[in-house]
Amino acid sequence: MSSRARRAFVMASLEQYLALLLNFAMVAAVSRILTPAEIGIAVIGMGIGVIVFSLREFVTAEFLIQLPHVSGRDVRTAMTVLTAATLLLAALLVAASPLLARYYGEPGMEVFLWLIAAATLVETLSLPALALMRRDMAFGTITRIRTAGMALTVVTTILLALLGFGFMSYAWGALAGSVLDTGLSWLARRDARDLRPTFASWRAVYEFGRFRGATGFIDRAYDALPSLVLGRLLTPSAVGIYNRANAVCAIPDRTLLGAVFSFAFPALAAEVREGRPVGEHYLRAISYITACYWPALILLAVLATPVVAFVLGPDWGEVVPLVRILSIASLFFFPVILTRPVLMALGHNRDAFVAHFICRAVAAVVLCAASPFGLLVMVSGQLIAIPIEMAVSLWFVRKHVGFAWHDLGRILMGSAAVTAGAAAGLTGALALFGFRFDLSMTEAMFAAFAAAGGWLLAVVFMRHPVKDELRPIIEQARRACRRSINIPAASTTSEPG
C-alpha cells in the first residue's frame, strides 16, 4: 500500500472509529434510559425510512467518483436528481405515515416518520459534496464533518431521552445531525452547493445508478426487514433485543471493516483508471481482513456476557446467546464487504447487483421463514445465510479478477493460524479463571490482552502480510513515545560495511 493510500485509509478508518465510539456512547446511554419496547419502535420507524429512501441509490452521487473528469454540470445534475427523488420519496412517506402508524399500533410513529423524512431531505443536500471529497480521497475532511454531525446526533438523542421524549429522541437527533452535516459539507466544497437544476449528465447517473440503486435498495431492505417482520409478528421488545444484539456484534465489523468500503471503492477505481490490475490488491485486502476480523469475532463470542453487560447494562441478558450465534456466523462474512467495491471499480455494476440480489434474496427467505419461531431461531438462520453470501461473493469476484483458489486458500490458512494464536492466548486466560464465561470486566480485559498477545506472536511467527502494515504504526508509536519523554531518536544512517 502506497503512503498516500495508507494515509487515506487511516483517515477513513479514523472516521469509522470515531463514529463507533460515538455510537457506542449512544447505545450504552440510551439502553439504560429507554425500554426495549421504546427502542424497538424507533428501530421500526428508522427501518421504514431506510427502505423508502434507499431508492435514492438509483440516482446516487457516487457516479462522480468513477468519472474520468468532473464538470460543474455533473455536480449540478447529481444535486438535481437527488433532491427531486428525495422530495418525491419524502412526500410518499408522509402520506403513508398514518397507515403505517396504525399498522404497528403506535400513533406516535406518524410524527416520527415526518422527522425522518425531513432529516433525510436535509442530508441529501450534502451527498454531492461528500462524493467529490471521496473522489479526491479527502478522508480527513470527511472524518471531521461526519464526526461533528454524529456527535450532535448522539448528544441530542441522549439529552432528549433523559428529558422523556422516548423513541422520538432518535428522530430529533437524526434531524440535528443532518443539518450540521450538510452545513459543514457545503463549507468544505463550495462547488457542490449549486442548486440550479440541470439534467445534463443524466446518462452517467443512469448508467451508474441503475444497478447500484437496485443493489442498495436490496441491501437496505434486507437490513431493515427483520425488524419490520419482528415488529409485526412478535413485539417491539423483540425488535429492541434483536437490534441491540446486532449492535454489539457489529463492534468488530465497524472497528475493522467499517472503513473498507468507504476507502476501497475510490482506491480501486483509481487503480482501474491508471490501468493497473486489482487482483493482487483484492487478495491482500482479504488477508488483512481475515487476520484481524476472525480473532475479534472469536473474542466477542467467548466474552459476550461481560461485553453485553458493559455496553448495554445488566438488564439485557437475553442478548448474549444471540451475540454468540451472530459472531460465529460472521466468520464467513470476510469477502462480502469487498464484492461491491471491486465489481463497481471494474465497471461491472450489473454483476454487483446480481450478486447482491442472490445473497440477499436467499438470506431474506431464510430469516423470514425462521422469524415465526422466535428470535433464537431467526438469528440461527444467519449460520445458513452468511456462508451462502460468502460463496456467491467469491464466485462473482473471481469471475472478473481471476485469482487462483490455491492463493486464496493459502491466505486463509495463514489467517487461520493467526486466529489460532489469539485463541490460544484467550484459552490460557480462561484457564486461569476456571473456564468461566461470566467474567468480570477486569477478567475480560485480561483475557482480551492475552488474546492480543497471542495474536501478535502468531503474526510475527507466521510472517503474516499484516505485519508489514503494523510496522509503520509501531514506528510512529515509538517516535511519539520518544518525543513525549524527550528522548532523541537514534540515527538511521548506517555505517559503511
Side-chain angles (χ1 to χ4, degrees):
M1 189 183 295
S2 67
S3 59
R4 180 172 180 264
R6 183 179 286 111
R7 285 195 300 272
F9 181 73
V10 167
M11 295 311 301
S13 300
L14 180 61
E15 176 195 347
Q16 298 298 325
Y17 296 151
L18 292 173
L20 175 65
L21 289 173
L22 290 168
N23 187 67
F24 176 87
M26 183 167 69
V27 168
V30 175
S31 296
R32 289 165 169 82
I33 301 170
L34 303 183
T35 66
E38 289 176 310
I39 293 173
I41 294 168
V43 170
I44 293 170
M46 289 187 291
I48 294 170
V50 163
I51 291 178
V52 171
F53 290 110
S54 64
L55 294 171
R56 291 183 308 171
E57 296 292 328
F58 283 98
V59 290
T60 177
E62 291 193 2
F63 81 96
L64 297 171
I65 298 174
Q66 199 179 41
L67 292 177
H69 304 286
V70 176
S71 67
R73 292 192 307 172
D74 298 325
V75 180
R76 287 171 54 201
T77 299
M79 181 67 79
T80 301
V81 295
L82 272 170
T83 304
T86 306
L87 281 169
L88 175 61
L89 295 171
L92 292 174
L93 180 59
V94 169
S97 59
L99 295 176
L100 292 167
R102 286 197 296 270
Y103 182 76
Y104 284 100
E106 177 51 58
M109 188 178 290
E110 184 175 351
V111 178
F112 187 97
L113 294 175
W114 295 352
L115 291 173
I116 292 297
T120 307
L121 181 58
V122 173
E123 178 213 18
T124 297
L125 301 178
S126 71
L127 297 181
L130 291 172
L132 290 174
M133 284 184 272
R134 288 194 181 96
R135 175 187 172 85
D136 296 338
M137 300 183 78
F139 291 106
T141 304
I142 295 173
T143 296
R144 289 188 287 272
I145 293 171
R146 290 296 201 188
T147 302
M150 183 64 179
L152 183 59
T153 297
V154 170
V155 170
T156 303
T157 303
I158 293 174
L159 286 177
L160 293 180
L162 287 170
L163 293 173
F165 279 68
F167 64 88
M168 292 295 297
S169 308
Y170 282 95
W172 285 111
L175 179 58
S178 296
V179 170
L180 185 57
D181 268 349
T182 298
L184 294 177
S185 298
W186 280 15
L187 286 175
R189 292 297 299 242
R190 297 177 184 274
D191 56 337
R193 62 185 192 186
D194 191 339
L195 298 179
R196 291 177 298 166
T198 182
F199 294 94
S201 303
W202 69 269
R203 287 187 179 276
V205 176
Y206 169 74
E207 289 298 329
F208 185 86
R210 55 177 177 158
F211 293 117
R212 171 63 190 274
T215 300
F217 174 76
I218 292 170
D219 213 21
R220 301 288 180 87
Y222 171 80
D223 290 338
L225 183 63
S227 297
L228 301 184
V229 171
L230 285 175
R232 182 63 178 172
L233 294 180
L234 299 178
T235 64
S237 294
V239 178
I241 292 169
Y242 178 79
N243 173 263
R244 287 308 184 241
N246 275 296
V248 173
C249 196
I251 292 175
D253 188 336
R254 293 182 179 179
T255 303
L256 302 172
L257 303 186
V260 170
F261 184 82
S262 298
F263 167 79
F265 177 43
L268 291 170
E271 296 290 325
V272 172
R273 287 198 301 267
E274 295 175 13
R276 292 196 291 264
V278 300
E280 180 183 348
H281 298 279
Y282 175 77
L283 290 177
R284 186 183 301 116
I286 290 289
S287 71
Y288 295 161
I289 288 171
T290 50
C292 300
Y293 190 47
W294 283 355
L297 289 171
I298 296 298
L299 186 66
L300 179 59
V302 173
L303 302 181
T305 299
V307 170
V308 168
F310 177 70
V311 175
L312 304 179
D315 300 327
W316 293 82
E318 295 172 274
V319 170
V320 171
L322 306 184
V323 168
R324 290 201 170 107
I325 295 171
L326 288 171
S327 297
I328 299 302
S330 296
L331 290 170
F332 299 95
F333 189 71
F334 65 91
V336 179
I337 189 69
L338 285 174
T339 302
R340 279 171 56 193
V342 168
L343 295 179
M344 287 166 55
L346 292 171
H348 298 293
N349 290 353
R350 181 180 183 277
D351 275 359
F353 162 69
V354 173
H356 252 67
F357 178 79
I358 295 172
C359 290
R360 296 314 198 188
V362 173
V365 169
V366 171
L367 293 179
C368 289
S371 58
F373 301 97
L375 274 177
L376 193 62
V377 175
M378 190 183 78
V379 170
S380 298
Q382 296 282 27
L383 294 168
I384 300 173
I386 296 181
I388 293 175
E389 291 187 60
M390 176 194 71
V392 172
S393 297
L394 288 174
W395 189 87
F396 272 93
V397 170
R398 188 172 183 269
K399 175 181 173 183
H400 298 289
V401 173
F403 62 85
W405 288 116
H406 64 83
D407 289 334
L408 177 64
R410 175 176 49 81
I411 285 171
L412 297 183
M413 288 296 292
S415 295
V418 168
T419 304
L426 178 60
T427 302
L430 290 176
L432 295 176
F433 305 129
F435 289 102
R436 293 182 297 106
F437 293 101
D438 56 338
L439 304 179
S440 66
M441 279 310 303
T442 302
E443 293 169 337
M445 290 179 64
F446 178 83
F449 279 118
W455 177 83
L456 187 58
L457 288 174
V459 166
V460 173
F461 180 76
M462 297 298 299
R463 297 180 180 178
H464 194 280
V466 77
K467 178 182 175 183
D468 296 332
E469 298 302 319
L470 291 175
R471 285 174 179 168
I473 298 174
I474 295 173
E475 180 63 22
Q476 290 177 6
R478 182 175 64 84
R479 290 176 180 175
C481 290
R482 281 179 169 171
R483 286 195 298 267
S484 66
I485 58 177
N486 296 320
I487 297 178
S491 173
T492 58
T493 304
S494 60
E495 295 293 331

